[in-house]
Amino acid sequence: MATDLPNDYTLIKADRIFDGTGTAPISGQAVLLNGGQITAIGPVGELSAPDGSNLTVIDYGDSTILPGLVDGHTHMMAPGDGTHGDITGAEQDDVLLMRALQNARTFLHAGVTTARENGAKNKVGFSLKEGIRRGLSEGPEMVISGRPITITGGHFWYCGSEADGVEGVRSEVRKLVKEGADFIKIMATGGSTWSSNPLRPSYTLEEMTVIVEEAHRFGKLTAAHCASMQGIKNALDAGVDMIIHCVFEDETGMYEFNEPLAEQLAAAKAWVNPTLHVVQAGIDQAVQIGYNRGWLTDNEQISIDSANRSLDTRNESVNRLIKMGVRMIAGSDSPWGAFPPGEFVKEMIALTKAGLTNTEALVTGLSHAAESIAVGGKAGTLATCRPGDVLVVGGNPISDLNALWDIKDVYKSGVRVTRPV
Ligand SMILES: [Zn+2]
């Protein structure tokens, strides 16, 4: 991997600069990179490097310079090809780590310079972060949970952090912190894991409260997977910082937008990561399988119809939450399920279908995502004295988010990433 020397300066120019905060793009400006950082942002013509330095100037023309993307929810160990989580979870750690490294590179090449890893098996998440930190492999800056904490037999039990009872969960949080977890991921309900039930809460309120208290005592944020309503309620009552999935379904699977719960969500200022596209990706894959074969079985059709209904209600609830002022962040949940790595833009586009403007959707994957995962001081916003994590895309993503597919260059810590052509 390339590194820059103290004397190396890179000056990048483009028609637009979007700083990630939501302020309208500005023109006539440039970004100067040196020493791994953004050294200056200012009018083209006023920025220069010291005499005798080695300056590279790149003019991207009709393009937009923006901060590197911040994906608030990844599972790097998964293939993203529709393989069930229980099958992935049964694989060997060394294979999972190799796949995680490969996926991390794909994320970086797609413009994601910071990623929050929501749970991998055993040591895989920790080793992934350490490998990238040492430069053994390239990837985004990783913010990791290590393993999600879950009840015995609960969602993601195969990752290795089953813990029950207040003393059990307390010691598991301490163990995760000791191993290097940046935040604590809690499975507040079951999920796709075969031995778990997504419609039921897993932890008691008492256990959830201890997990959150213990995490906060170490200065760590918490995020809870909530695939149904009682899980959301327990998580909010326990003081969880981020609600993931945030599905408004009761124990029978019936959708009902719960106004008081939504008000509690807004009042708590908890972040919501709705993970919309991962549902769409599953539908798309099932439809494609039927298309390739020429027909769908009755069961396949039933599950596609049910997933479509569930996506409609999730879009509706996210739309209502947005109107109530609940703060959303984009986290792809990829490469989980059938959501391949490197397609984070699809989650931002999905959020526009639920009611965000293009600018708001971009902010959910930039400054808001960074703030929500406690790295707002170094990622998600273009500003001086921050790491030189910068993305350049063709065209203008404010008028069309699909511009994010047209990657001109990715800079990580001030260095241009070499990507396959
Ligand atoms: Zn997830």
Side-chain angles (χ1 to χ4, degrees):
M1 234 181 327
T3 50
D4 61 347
L5 300 166
N7 208 25
D8 285 346
Y9 284 77
T10 307
L11 182 69
I12 56 175
K13 306 188 245 187
D15 285 2
R16 274 159 248 100
I17 293 183
F18 181 75
D19 73 2
T21 63
T23 313
I26 47 170
S27 56
Q29 304 257 315
V31 176
L32 185 65
L33 302 165
N34 167 256
Q37 291 198 319
I38 297 173
T39 314
I41 302 174
V44 174
E46 284 183 23
L47 292 190
S48 62
D51 285 346
S53 61
N54 181 14
L55 176 66
T56 307
V57 179
I58 307 174
D59 188 345
Y60 290 99
D62 181 16
S63 299
T64 305
I65 297 174
L66 61 161
L69 301 172
V70 180
D71 188 338
H73 186 157
T74 69
H75 294 282
M76 296 292 186
M77 71 170 184
D81 61 358
T83 301
H84 196 276
D86 285 59
I87 306 292
T88 300
E91 288 193 80
Q92 295 297 317
D93 294 7
D94 46 10
V95 172
L96 294 172
L97 179 58
M98 286 188 275
R99 186 189 290 126
L101 290 166
Q102 187 184 54
N103 285 334
R105 183 179 300 113
T106 305
F107 272 74
L108 180 66
H109 290 179
V112 174
T113 52
T114 301
R116 191 199 226 192
E117 171 61 28
N118 271 244
K121 188 180 178 184
N122 298 330
K123 286 278 189 189
V124 169
F126 299 103
S127 301
L128 169 68
K129 177 174 176 161
E130 185 61 12
I132 292 171
R133 192 190 67 78
R134 292 195 200 182
L136 299 172
S137 188
E138 50 173 15
E141 201 66 30
M142 299 301 303
V143 176
I144 59 163
S145 65
R147 299 175 294 275
I149 186 163
T150 192
I151 62 167
T152 294
H155 191 35
F156 273 60
W157 64 267
Y158 41 74
C159 286
S161 270
E162 289 171 304
D164 305 292
V166 292
E167 289 318 314
V169 296
R170 199 192 308 277
S171 84
E172 194 62 30
V173 170
R174 290 178 184 173
K175 193 171 156 195
L176 287 162
V177 171
K178 178 187 175 192
E179 289 178 68
D182 297 305
F183 75 104
I184 301 297
K185 168 83 181 280
I186 312 159
M187 297 307 194
T189 65
S192 57
T193 303
W194 288 322
S195 56
S196 76
N197 183 346
L199 300 177
R200 298 262 174 186
S202 52
Y203 284 118
T204 63
L205 177 57
E206 199 188 4
E207 289 167 316
M208 291 277 285
T209 304
V210 169
I211 297 172
V212 175
E213 275 175 7
E214 202 59 27
H216 287 175
R217 224 163 53 73
F218 287 103
K220 307 293 180 189
L221 289 177
T222 53
H225 158 104
C226 301
S228 50
M229 232 154 15
Q230 190 59 46
I232 303 174
K233 176 74 180 145
N234 288 352
L236 288 174
D237 287 346
V240 164
D241 306 287
M242 184 189 290
I243 306 294
I244 298 169
H245 311 307
C246 201
V247 181
F248 280 77
E249 285 179 11
D250 67 14
E251 290 193 358
T252 67
M254 184 73 83
Y255 167 75
E256 192 190 348
F257 188 78
N258 183 326
E259 199 87 34
L261 189 56
E263 276 163 14
Q264 189 181 351
L265 199 49
K269 293 194 160 50
W271 293 95
V272 171
N273 165 213
T275 65
L276 298 171
H277 185 74
V278 71
V279 183
Q280 184 67 55
I283 296 169
D284 292 347
Q285 189 187 49
V287 169
Q288 187 64 44
I289 288 168
Y291 180 83
N292 293 345
R293 194 204 288 136
W295 48 277
L296 284 165
T297 66
D298 288 350
N299 279 343
E300 285 168 344
Q301 190 60 58
I302 288 166
S303 85
I304 289 170
D305 292 345
S306 131
N308 270 316
R309 274 195 306 277
S310 144
L311 188 57
D312 285 347
T313 59
R314 282 169 77 159
N315 272 316
E316 192 209 91
S317 62
V318 170
N319 183 266
R320 292 178 69 167
L321 291 173
I322 290 168
K323 287 180 179 147
M324 292 172 74
V326 173
R327 302 185 300 172
M328 297 289 153
I329 72 125
S332 64
D333 206 359
S334 68
W336 199 247
F339 192 167
E343 300 185 355
F344 179 39
V345 50
K346 289 186 174 174
E347 181 64 14
M348 286 180 268
I349 291 173
L351 283 163
T352 64
K353 290 178 188 156
L356 294 184
T357 64
N358 285 352
T359 299
E360 288 166 343
L362 262 178
V363 170
T364 65
L366 292 169
S367 56
H368 280 184
E371 192 190 327
S372 76
I373 64 173
V375 294
K378 51 184 182 181
T381 305
L382 286 182
T384 51
C385 302
R386 281 166 172 251
D389 294 348
V390 180
L391 171 62
V392 186
V393 298
N396 182 0
I398 303 299
S399 40
D400 183 357
L401 286 173
N402 285 300
L404 294 174
W405 294 111
D406 183 16
I407 292 174
K408 299 300 181 194
D409 266 322
V410 180
Y411 292 85
K412 180 78 179 58
S413 301
V415 178
R416 193 176 149 271
V417 175
T418 307
R419 295 173 304 124
V421 253

